[in-house]
Amino acid sequence: IRNNPSMGKKLQITAKTFCVALNKRGFNTFNSTTQIIPVITGDSSTATDMAGHLLEEGIKAPAIKPPTVPQGTARVRFSVHVDFTDEEMSVVLRALQK
């Protein structure tokens, strides 16, 4: 990033684009402003089921459950990277809609 500061800005834009797309589809991203984006499910079993479904679709997004996070805030965690393409984003969004 020191050698190419535009990478940081690109990552911020990509993460925001993904958050907005998730929110438009009714997913709660806990107002994330970073490249680590949670999708709040509330309960642990839903987070585990969602993470399992995503993995079957070839998407690695772990379930994060209590006691790591407060009770009632279980989630699936996405880590957006600078090379996350629009096509990859569409694949993730389609998998989540299922």
Side-chain angles (χ1 to χ4, degrees):
I1 290 179
R2 286 185 186 136
N3 294 333
N4 191 353
S6 65
M7 288 177 66
K9 185 67 174 169
K10 182 179 183 233
L11 179 58
Q12 288 176 326
I13 290 167
T14 300
K16 182 161 181 75
T17 300
F18 188 48
C19 266
V20 167
L22 288 165
N23 293 150
K24 282 184 179 177
R25 287 161 176 80
F27 294 103
N28 177 1
T29 59
F30 217 54
N31 298 315
S32 178
T33 59
T34 72
Q35 77 279 6
I36 309 283
I37 302 171
V39 169
I40 306 300
T41 62
D43 67 275
S44 296
S45 64
T46 302
T48 300
D49 291 347
M50 185 183 285
H53 167 71
L54 290 168
L55 193 56
E56 288 173 2
E57 297 286 324
I59 301 161
K60 188 174 181 182
I64 311 298
K65 307 172 284 189
T68 304
V69 295
Q71 195 69 31
T73 67
R75 63 198 70 187
V76 173
R77 181 180 292 160
F78 293 92
S79 297
V80 175
H81 57 84
V82 73
D83 295 323
F84 189 48
T85 67
D86 290 343
E87 178 57 32
E88 290 170 326
M89 192 178 304
S90 292
V91 168
V92 173
L93 293 169
R94 281 192 302 270
L96 283 168
Q97 283 303 130
K98 286 182 183 179

